[in-house]
Amino acid sequence: MTKVTLYIAASLDGYIARSDGGIDWLSILDIEGEDYGYGDFYESIDAIVLGSKTYEVGLGFDQWPYPEKKSFVFTQRHLQSDREDVVFVSGSVKQALADIEAQGLENIWLVGGGELINSFLQHSLIDEYIISTIPIILGGGIYLFPPPTPEEKLELISSKQYPNGLLQTHYRRKVKI
């Protein structure tokens, strides 16, 4: 059975990027030797799901940020890539997830952005949430959970506070009975 985990950082006021898509504010997290559990998490996943704008942000890095993992990019645009590990998806999130599962990929990282996260929420497809709350108020930008967002009951698995003020919380979706 496929498990989808939203692993993401957000500002204290609930934004994942500035209005222009900028994520420069995340640099306050750069502490030598500290990865906030990212390495272990990355090793635990089989594939990555992301929106086209998040994909384009990743292209702007010095090197592809998701090496050795198959990346499924949701888009309605006609994008292309020379990378064999990047697949563009234009169908529904439910069908795409079924196709991903059919490939034997079980642990899926939902990277973002807000619109794609909301699509997964609309269908109750996010099993776990690992949210790193950054001690900054941006005052505007791209919401982590853009409205309208459906109600989703969660249970806390764990939380960890870091010396720089980052608070990482790990939740699991409560199964509806």
Side-chain angles (χ1 to χ4, degrees), residues 9-28 132-144:
S11 65
L12 185 60
D13 53 346
Y15 297 101
I16 56 174
R18 296 188 188 281
S19 297
D20 64 0
I23 56 171
D24 58 303
W25 55 277
L26 290 173
S27 65
I28 64 174
S132 294
T133 303
I134 313 305
I136 187 172
I137 296 173
L138 293 178
I142 299 171
Y143 279 117
L144 170 58

Side-chain angles (χ1 to χ4, degrees), residues 1-4 120-121 123-129 151-157 170-176:
M1 179 96 187
T2 300
K3 178 176 88 172
V4 175
F120 272 73
L121 275 170
H123 298 285
S124 293
L125 295 174
I126 304 174
D127 300 294
E128 294 187 8
Y129 300 74
E151 182 176 310
E152 189 78 77
K153 292 185 176 23
L154 309 174
E155 61 182 325
L156 181 66
I157 295 173
H170 186 172
Y171 294 94
R172 177 183 312 128
R173 176 172 44 94
K174 284 190 173 183
V175 179
K176 296 175 185 174

Side-chain angles (χ1 to χ4, degrees), residues 151-171:
E151 182 176 310
E152 189 78 77
K153 292 185 176 23
L154 309 174
E155 61 182 325
L156 181 66
I157 295 173
S158 66
S159 65
K160 183 173 182 179
Q161 181 179 338
Y162 291 84
N164 64 354
L166 179 142
L167 178 63
Q168 189 172 79
T169 51
H170 186 172
Y171 294 94

Side-chain angles (χ1 to χ4, degrees), residues 83-102:
R83 299 190 61 86
E84 293 181 19
D85 55 356
V86 172
V87 177
F88 296 102
V89 180
S90 61
S92 74
V93 293
K94 285 182 95 169
Q95 183 58 54
L97 198 55
D99 294 344
I100 292 167
E101 185 174 12

Side-chain angles (χ1 to χ4, degrees), residues 38-67:
Y38 176 80
D40 289 340
F41 174 76
Y42 194 77
E43 287 302 314
S44 76
I45 62 163
D46 300 318
I48 296 160
V49 169
L50 60 161
S52 61
K53 293 174 190 165
T54 304
Y55 165 73
E56 289 173 329
V57 169
L59 290 176
F61 295 148
D62 292 336
Q63 55 186 330
W64 179 240
Y66 314 114

